[in-house]
Amino acid sequence: MKHRLVVLLVLLAAVLVDGGSFGHSSAAPPALCVAVGDSLAAGIGSTLPRERSAAALLCQWSQAYFGEQAELVSLAVPGETTRSFLEGSQLDRLRATMDAARRQGRTIRFVLVSLGGNDLLALADRAEAERERAYAQFETDLAAALTAVRAAIGQTPLLMLTPYDLTEGDPDAVQTDSWWVGRFAQAIRVQATAVGGTVVDLARGFRGHIAEWTWWPVDVHPTNDGYMAIARLAWRALGWDREAPRVTVVLPTEGAVIVRRYATVRVRVDDPGGIESVTLWVDGQEIGTLDPLPEEGEWITLWETPWPMAGPPILVEVRAADRAGNVGEASVQVRLPGG
């Protein structure tokens, strides 16, 4: 009897080790999001880069959108230039990260890259001839760096950030700082496109927002709001979410009669990509925004009606915009007393 019990225990252990039905988990490994490059990719300037960098926000949003677990791996090195990226260890660490992810069967959602900002900052106070030589070297190094990144990541979506202009000057004014930012941004657009990358154009997206989205003139990096803006631009550039939010008006109901000065407008909004705003429109005029309720997907506001005045029916419309810029809407028609 003792011998049979030992045999059964050995067989049970073999089943467990072999991944049999006892305690075996078939859960897929978490998807991978990767950030490489310089301090902008690392999220420097945010209060908590692991959660509030652009790459971290994108990873969180992708997790919700695809309904999966996702993990951010940030390989970015503050101060990195295109040359140091090619000559240092970061590129090798990217290759190793991608190889390990493939062996583990992990989905790789995106690789976010920021390079060029430190190359640009290094040109400050240099003579024009020296700037031109450095720029020519930057173009060469950038092409090599992005070619190497593409070779390492295969068909994974590659997001490439451009620099932004802290001075918000005229990019057509030759030899100015703004002109140089424009040249670097254009070189990045060209080289990123050449390797099938998606450009996240901060040079254009940040114009007019430097004061609210960066620490300038104290520091060159974005604030939390700035990284949120970068993430929004990148999310739209990825093009995953092309479906408009589904909006259902809960209150008021179709054909309801207005019986008080303030009426509750309550809606349900469903969208896996995340809602940016929900606005109230009355007879084609924007009235204000709705606030989220604790209940998931529920939004509410109070609308000041024209009650007790009589008049024709009123069209109450709610429009919801998601992070990708898709807009969904729903409406009901209500009546005034005597209408």
Side-chain angles (χ1 to χ4, degrees), residues 8 13 16-17 57 73 107 116 125 134 167 170 182 219 222 224 237 244 253 263 266 295 335:
L8 286 172
L16 291 172
V17 170
L57 291 169
V73 173
T107 299
D125 301 322
T167 69
D170 181 2
D219 184 74
N224 286 344
T253 57
R266 182 168 179 159
E295 295 85 350
R335 295 184 292 119

Side-chain angles (χ1 to χ4, degrees), residues 3-239:
H3 175 71
R4 290 179 61 191
L5 179 60
V6 171
V7 171
L8 286 172
L9 289 173
V10 170
L11 289 173
L12 177 58
V15 169
L16 291 172
V17 170
D18 193 45
S21 59
F22 294 94
H24 174 63
S25 173
S26 59
L32 191 66
C33 314
V34 183
V36 299
D38 54 31
S39 58
L40 197 59
I44 300 301
S46 69
T47 54
L48 191 60
R50 288 293 305 173
E51 295 182 8
R52 294 172 181 163
S53 69
L57 291 169
L58 279 176
C59 201
Q60 294 164 24
W61 297 349
S62 72
Q63 176 174 276
Y65 183 74
F66 291 105
E68 64 187 5
Q69 292 297 310
E71 175 190 1
L72 171 65
V73 173
S74 179
L75 307 174
V77 178
E80 193 84 297
T81 65
T82 51
R83 171 54 55 178
S84 65
F85 180 79
L86 287 167
E87 295 178 344
S89 64
Q90 188 176 170
L91 184 53
D92 286 337
R93 288 187 290 124
L94 173 62
R95 294 183 180 115
T97 298
M98 301 301 289
D99 289 345
R102 293 187 186 102
R103 287 195 304 270
Q104 296 162 6
R106 300 176 69 175
T107 299
I108 307 167
R109 284 295 170 203
F110 64 82
V111 174
L112 181 144
V113 183
S114 175
L115 286 170
N118 292 305
D119 301 73
L120 179 60
L121 290 172
L123 299 186
D125 301 322
R126 292 192 183 184
E128 290 306 315
E130 190 176 359
R131 283 187 173 190
E132 288 292 348
R133 287 193 295 271
Y135 176 74
Q137 186 62 57
F138 164 72
E139 284 189 303
T140 300
D141 291 343
L142 179 65
L146 290 184
T147 298
V149 169
R150 175 54 78 194
I153 71 174
Q155 297 303 308
T156 299
L158 188 162
L159 292 166
M160 185 69 193
L161 309 183
T162 73
Y164 45 82
D165 179 14
L166 292 165
T167 69
E168 296 186 301
D170 181 2
D172 294 325
V174 178
Q175 305 300 341
T176 63
D177 289 341
S178 297
W179 183 76
W180 276 105
V181 172
R183 288 189 71 184
F184 272 72
Q186 182 58 21
I188 288 171
R189 293 185 197 107
V190 170
Q191 297 301 335
T193 302
V195 297
T198 298
V199 177
V200 182
D201 205 334
L202 307 189
R204 293 168 182 164
F206 267 50
R207 179 166 287 277
H209 298 284
I210 292 299
E212 59 182 310
W213 288 352
T214 76
W215 293 104
W216 186 254
V218 177
D219 184 74
V220 300
H221 294 100
T223 60
N224 286 344
D225 287 343
Y227 281 111
M228 180 67 75
I230 295 172
R232 287 195 190 101
L233 291 168
W235 184 261
R236 293 188 180 192
L238 280 166

